Amino acid sequence: MEETLRILVVDDNELDRIAVRRALRKAGIKTKFSEAINAKEAIATLQNTTFDCVFLDYRLPDQDGLSLIRELHLMGIQVPLIVLTGQGDEQLAVEIMKAGASDYLAKSRVSPEVLSKTIHHAIRLHRAERQVALANTELRESNELLRRKNEELNQQQQQIQRQNLELQEAARLKSQFLATISHELRTPMNAIIGFSQILLRQYSDSLSLQQINIVQRIFNNSQNLLTLVNEVLDFSKLEVDQLKLNLQEFDLSELVILTTEELRSLALQKKLNLQLQIDIKNSLVVNDPKCLRRILTNLISNAIKFTDSGEIWVKVWELNADRLAIAVKDTGIGIVHNNLDMIFEAFRQVDQSTTRKHSGTGLGLAITNSLVKMMQGKITVESNLGEGSIFQVEIPRQVENEL
Ligand code: ADP
């Protein structure tokens, strides 16, 4: 159903008003018609009522069309305006359109067809303009919203950067503190170890069995404590990038045999079978032997620590001409799948209760992981709870000096 258009005709000439009304009726346009005979009346009517279209005579008794259009514009009254001009007023058309009119029409051309076309065109144009204006407003609003959000994000980012710097500084201080403390602890620890060794070696004849037993315990405990202090020191050095690889050529098989044999007594104490399988043709590598030994010791002593019965295998083989692999496999308690990543983080232990059965700092695997990375290698673990674990380290035959 065609909508009823609310039309206002502003013209002091009654005949002209009638002509417009008649033409609209003839054009078959359903209208609700209102009239004003001068600018003042037109303004008052437009302030109170909303119209779909206004026909405006250019020459009104109290004001010309151009200034009326500008005034309506200033008042924020938005309506499609068709200006009716007299003969010869066409030169005003450009000014009128610039001022905001939708169209203009010479009174002599008022006919049902022309009027119908003009009115529909003006309304369509006006609605399209309104929609564009609305979309523009929405765009401006969302732009403003985005700008504010961006500002908030920037502020948050700055805050995060500040907190990050503070955290880095706190972490640096912590590592420095750990390094200083562990370094300071090493000197008296070494003295205790050294003196208890002298007592055991040189004065064992003058000591009773009970005294020898006590000194032996002092010696063993001090060594455990020194290992722990060394772990903390290495970890804090790794954290502040102070630990560097000392690269040299050496025989990998020899190193693996030596390290494994050193730990055999520990395995024997727990009645564990410690097996070694070396399967390499060329045993020469370029790496840091001390660090590699450290890695192997960590892995084998963990395997012994977390295995109550069964076996531990240490295996070395060539993956290809440039890469080697070392694996340590045990038949121990195993690790829950969810914890497999977490055990490489510093201070992380699967069982972190104070009553845990196994001693340790939770730093061994974190240090191992960092050292393997420094060696341009990688460490992986496979484990099944209650069945055992395999830790595998892959390293290049020749570690490149970092630039
Ligand atoms: P620590 O041995 O001092 O506790 P690590 O960093 O060497 O610290 O190991 C972290 C944790 O990973 C251990 O506490 C243990 O829970 C788990 N883990 C390491 N090696 C094994 C293993 N061979 N079998 C079972 N669990 C292990």
Side-chain angles (χ1 to χ4, degrees), residues 231 298-307 328-330 332-336 339 342-352 356 358-368 381 383 388-391:
E231 255 182 17
N298 274 346
L299 295 180
I300 301 175
S301 40
N302 268 353
I304 297 171
K305 186 159 69 172
F306 295 105
T307 305
V328 178
K329 184 176 173 214
D330 65 57
I333 58 171
I335 303 159
V336 187
N339 289 334
M342 165 269 245
I343 56 169
F344 292 102
E345 291 169 22
F347 306 110
R348 291 288 204 153
Q349 296 170 314
V350 174
D351 173 8
Q352 291 194 297
R356 70 198 296 272
H358 309 281
S359 63
T361 53
L363 285 175
L365 285 180
I367 293 172
T368 302
V381 57
S383 188
S389 319
I390 310 179
F391 285 81

Side-chain angles (χ1 to χ4, degrees), residues 195-214:
F195 286 127
S196 45
Q197 251 173 342
I198 291 173
L199 276 177
L200 287 172
R201 282 190 198 144
Q202 297 175 13
Y203 298 92
S204 55
D205 294 345
S206 48
L207 294 176
S208 69
L209 265 179
Q210 199 190 6
Q211 283 167 331
I212 290 178
N213 194 12
I214 289 171

Side-chain angles (χ1 to χ4, degrees), residues 39-49:
K40 201 172 158 209
E41 224 180 272
I43 290 170
T45 314
L46 282 164
Q47 275 177 324
N48 292 325
T49 319

